Amino acid sequence: MLEQLLKVNNGILTKEQLTNQVVSYDELGGAEQNIDIKQFNDRLYYVDGYYDHDYLLQLSHPDLVFSRDTAVKYHWLSNQLPYELYVTLPTTYKKTVQSDYSKVNMMYEDLESADIELIETQEGNFVQVTSLERTLYDMMQDESCPMDIMKEIIWNYHQAPNINKERFIHYFGQWYHLEDSKEAQKLLQQHVSYIDTSFKSWEQVTRLV
C-alpha cells in the first residue's frame, strides 16, 4: 500500500494521508527503515531520491509563484543559477516560506492569471512561474541586475520560440496607459537605460513594439 501510494504521488506523502489513516504512523515508521522517508516540513514527507524542492514548496504554498531570478532559471533566460529564492505571493498572504536556499525573497502582489504559467521541473512535476514576458519585465525593473546578465536575458528572450508580442506591449505600455507604440518603446528604453544601447539584441527586442 505505502510503496504504491508513494509511486502514484511521485514519492510524496502528505500529513493528511497519514492522519486519515491511508498510511498509518506505524507503517510510516517501518517504511523509514526500508524506503528512507524524510520529512520536508510539518505536513509533507518525501522518499529519499525523489526530492523536488520547488514542487514540495509549491505543495506547501499553493498560491506561491516563482518569480524574478528564479523564473529566469525556469525560462532558461540565463546560465547563472540564483543562490537565493524569489517568489511572489498574494498581498494578503501571511504564512512564512521556509526553503533550502540561503535567502527567500518574498514579493507581495496579486498577479493576474495571464502573469502565471505552469513549467515542468527537472524532476517532472509542475510549478507556477511568472510568464516569460512578466519575468522579463520584472528583471528590467530590477536595477541591481548586472548589465551582463541583463544582456544575456534579453538575448535569450529574443531567441525564445514562444514570445507573446501582445503581452510584451501590455507590460510596457498598457500598465502605464500608453496606447501608442512609440510611447511604449520610449518607456522600455527608460526602464533599461543602463543597458548598452549598441547591444544588437536590445535593438531587436524594442522592434516588438
Side-chain angles (χ1 to χ4, degrees), residues 4-168:
Q4 183 179 0
L5 184 62
L6 288 168
K7 186 176 182 180
V8 171
N9 293 340
N10 292 335
I12 296 172
L13 286 172
T14 67
K15 187 175 182 179
E16 288 76 10
Q17 289 172 321
L18 299 179
T19 55
N20 289 336
Q21 296 183 351
V22 174
V23 179
S24 68
Y25 281 102
D26 291 339
E27 189 177 1
L28 178 64
E32 285 177 338
Q33 300 176 8
N34 301 317
I35 306 180
D36 195 13
I37 291 181
K38 299 183 180 297
Q39 187 169 4
F40 179 70
N41 55 28
D42 60 354
R43 61 175 295 269
L44 287 176
Y45 299 84
Y46 67 94
V47 176
D48 190 28
Y50 283 82
Y51 188 64
D52 187 344
H53 172 274
D54 290 359
Y55 181 60
L56 285 163
L57 202 63
Q58 182 78 87
L59 291 176
S60 302
H61 305 273
D63 293 327
L64 177 150
V65 179
F66 296 98
S67 56
R68 296 190 181 262
D69 298 57
T70 304
V72 165
K73 176 194 73 172
Y74 272 108
H75 288 293
W76 298 93
L77 292 174
S78 174
N79 292 324
Q80 299 292 324
L81 296 177
Y83 293 103
E84 300 176 358
L85 181 69
Y86 293 80
V87 298
T88 298
L89 298 158
T91 54
T92 57
Y93 206 77
K94 302 298 183 183
K95 294 181 181 179
T96 301
V97 176
Q98 296 181 334
S99 166
D100 290 351
Y101 285 82
S102 59
K103 181 180 179 182
V104 180
N105 300 278
M106 294 182 290
M107 284 70 68
Y108 294 91
E109 183 177 345
D110 297 319
L111 297 173
E112 301 176 4
S113 58
D115 296 329
I116 305 167
E117 62 182 89
L118 292 176
I119 294 183
E120 189 174 3
T121 68
Q122 291 184 344
E123 292 75 18
N125 301 301
F126 286 87
V127 294
Q128 295 183 132
V129 182
T130 50
S131 67
L132 183 61
E133 279 72 26
R134 175 62 198 239
T135 301
L136 177 64
Y137 176 78
D138 286 342
M139 296 307 296
M140 285 181 173
Q141 293 266 55
D142 183 6
E143 295 185 359
S144 67
C145 181
M147 185 184 297
D148 59 331
I149 300 298
M150 193 67 239
K151 287 181 177 181
E152 182 186 11
I153 290 171
I154 291 172
W155 170 258
N156 287 327
Y157 171 76
H158 179 69
Q159 303 300 316
N162 55 334
I163 288 177
N164 187 324
K165 180 178 179 180
E166 291 183 359
R167 295 305 293 175
F168 188 92

